[in-house]
Amino acid sequence: MIWGIDYLGLPKFADLAIREHPEGWGAGCFAVTFGPALAHVDRLLATDRCPVFRVQLLWSDAHQFGDADIPEVRRLARQYEALARKYPGVRMMLSPFCEHNLRAPDKYLDIVKQEAPSCEPINVPWQGGFSANYRNEVHGVKKPPAGSPQHLYSWDGTSCVDGDVEASKRLHSNAEVYFWWHPAMNGRLNTNDKTPRPQRKAFPTSELIDSIIYLSRAAGEVKIPRNYLWKSHADRHSTPPEPRAYKPVLIMPPKARRAELVADNGQVVAVSGPAQPFNDGRFRYYWSEFGYQIAEKAVRIHGKPACKLVVDGKAVGTVNPAFRAGSFRD
C-alpha cells in the first residue's frame, strides 16, 4: 500500500502542499474544479517526492456525466499524458469522472486510455458501476469492490480525522493507494459546510497536513469510558483558524478542574484547559498543542504515543492524542 493525500483543491494551496508533501507519498487533485491544476501538479512532481499521482478530470455536483463531457475528457487527458511523459518514473492515474452514476463507465475509461496511453485509467463511481477492466476507487465509508484484489481508496467526502481510522485501514488493507482527505482540502470548515465553492477560504494549514500524515501510524491500544469523546481535532470555525482549531478536545460528563495525559512513568505529558459547557450537558476540555505533537512528546517520554487519561487525579482510560476515540462520524 502507498499512502496518499487527496489535495482536491490543490490550486488554492499549492505552495503549502508542495512544501509539506511527505517523501514517498502519493497525491491527488481535481484537474479544473478549483482552477487549472496542471502547473501545480508539475511543480509537485518536480520535487521527486511523489511516486504516484491520481487526477479527477471532471466533477459534477449532481454526479451526472455523459457523452457531452467527452471533448473535455479528451482535452484534459492529453494534457496529463504530456506530464506523464515528462515524469516517466511517476505513475499517473486519470479518472474521467469523480463519483459518477454511470452504469457502464468503461466507454469513458477507454477514451482516457486512448488519449493518455502513459496513464492508468481509474474508475470512481458514486452510485454507478464498477469496471471489470480498469482499477476502481471507492470513497468514504464504501467497501472495496467485490472480487477486485486491488483498488484505490480515498476518504473523500468523509473527514479522516473524525472517522474510525484503524477500522478503515483494515477494511482497505489491499488498497494499492490509500488517500487521506479532510474537508479543508476542498476549502470547507467541515463536511456540512455549504459555502459556495468560489467563496471557500478554509484551506489546510501546515499543522493539519502534518496531523493527517501522522494518522498513517498505528493508534495503539485506546479505551475511554462510554459517553466520553476524545476529538483529536476540534472543529474549525473561522479563517484564519482560531487558536483551538484542529487541536484536541475532550468531551465528558463530569465537571473537573482539569484533565491530564500522563505517561506510564507518571510524568504529565499535557494538561487541558478548564471545563467549558457543552451543548448536551457534558463539559469540554481543550488542549493548547496539536494531538500529533502531544503524541510525539509521549513517544519521547515513554516510547509510545498512547497516554493515560487522568481526570482530577483518577485514571479513566487511555488515548492516543493524535486519533479520535469514543465515537466516530461517517
Side-chain angles (χ1 to χ4, degrees):
M1 179 190 290
I2 296 175
W3 301 116
I5 303 179
D6 234 346
Y7 305 115
L8 291 184
L10 179 65
K12 300 297 185 181
F13 57 96
D15 289 347
L16 175 67
I18 293 166
R19 185 176 73 240
E20 296 291 333
H21 189 72
E23 178 75 32
W25 281 46
C29 73
F30 284 128
V32 292
T33 305
F34 287 85
L38 185 70
H40 305 297
V41 177
D42 192 342
R43 292 170 56 209
L44 178 54
L45 298 186
T47 68
D48 202 31
R49 299 197 306 268
C50 185
V52 56
F53 203 102
R54 189 268 287 114
V55 182
Q56 306 279 12
L57 296 183
L58 294 181
W59 163 262
S60 162
D61 290 341
H63 303 279
Q64 297 300 313
F65 303 95
D67 287 359
D69 297 306
I70 289 176
E72 183 69 349
V73 168
R74 290 188 183 279
R75 183 184 75 84
L76 293 171
R78 287 194 291 268
Q79 288 185 351
Y80 281 93
E81 169 65 11
L83 198 61
R85 292 184 181 184
K86 182 177 179 180
Y87 298 100
V90 176
R91 290 180 64 188
M92 184 68 70
M93 300 177 169
L94 303 184
S95 158
F97 309 128
C98 180
E99 298 184 352
H100 65 74
N101 288 333
L102 300 164
R103 282 193 240 175
D106 281 26
K107 167 183 176 179
Y108 304 97
L109 296 162
D110 288 343
I111 290 171
V112 170
K113 190 63 179 175
Q114 292 166 8
E115 299 292 348
S118 303
C119 304
E120 299 178 37
I122 302 296
N123 179 49
V124 187
W126 177 244
Q127 296 176 348
F130 287 123
S131 171
N133 299 307
Y134 296 101
R135 193 167 279 104
N136 297 288
E137 176 177 320
V138 294
H139 289 176
V141 297
K142 294 184 179 180
K143 296 180 180 180
S148 178
Q150 287 190 313
H151 66 287
L152 273 63
Y153 171 75
S154 175
W155 278 89
D156 184 6
T158 302
S159 176
C160 63
V161 304
D162 287 329
D164 190 339
V165 166
E166 297 300 85
S168 175
K169 290 176 185 175
R170 292 191 296 270
L171 180 62
H172 296 286
S173 59
N174 288 331
E176 193 164 7
V177 186
Y178 183 112
F179 291 101
W180 301 92
W181 179 86
H182 184 280
M185 302 298 177
N186 292 43
R188 294 157 64 189
L189 293 168
N190 52 61
T191 53
N192 295 319
D193 185 355
K194 305 301 183 184
T195 303
R197 195 171 292 112
Q199 299 172 23
R200 294 180 192 171
K201 298 180 180 179
F203 292 100
T205 64
S206 172
E207 293 86 358
L208 178 62
I209 292 177
D210 285 343
S211 72
I212 290 172
I213 293 168
Y214 201 89
L215 294 177
S216 65
R217 305 185 185 190
E221 187 173 346
V222 174
K223 186 176 182 181
I224 61 175
R226 188 180 177 198
N227 211 22
Y228 282 55
L229 171 61
W230 177 269
K231 290 183 64 173
S232 57
H233 295 69
D235 293 342
R236 173 180 171 180
H237 299 282
S238 65
T239 298
E242 64 275 20
R244 69 189 187 190
Y246 302 146
K247 296 173 183 174
V249 56
L250 171 67
I251 302 172
M252 64 180 182
K255 184 177 183 180
R257 294 189 308 275
R258 64 184 182 183
E260 298 174 328
L261 298 176
V262 181
D264 291 347
N265 64 0
Q267 182 177 343
V268 175
V269 180
V271 179
S272 77
Q276 299 180 30
F278 189 54
N279 56 21
D280 66 359
R282 292 181 292 175
F283 294 89
R284 297 173 293 175
Y285 303 80
Y286 288 92
W287 268 258
S288 60
E289 299 173 273
F290 290 90
Y292 75 97
Q293 294 171 339
I294 300 172
E296 284 290 271
K297 182 179 178 181
V299 170
R300 293 194 299 271
I301 293 172
H302 69 168
K304 60 182 180 181
C307 304
K308 295 176 185 176
L309 178 60
V310 177
V311 177
D312 278 350
K314 180 182 177 181
V316 298
T318 304
V319 298
N320 181 331
F323 289 73
R324 183 177 173 120
S327 66
F328 304 98
R329 291 175 179 166
D330 291 337

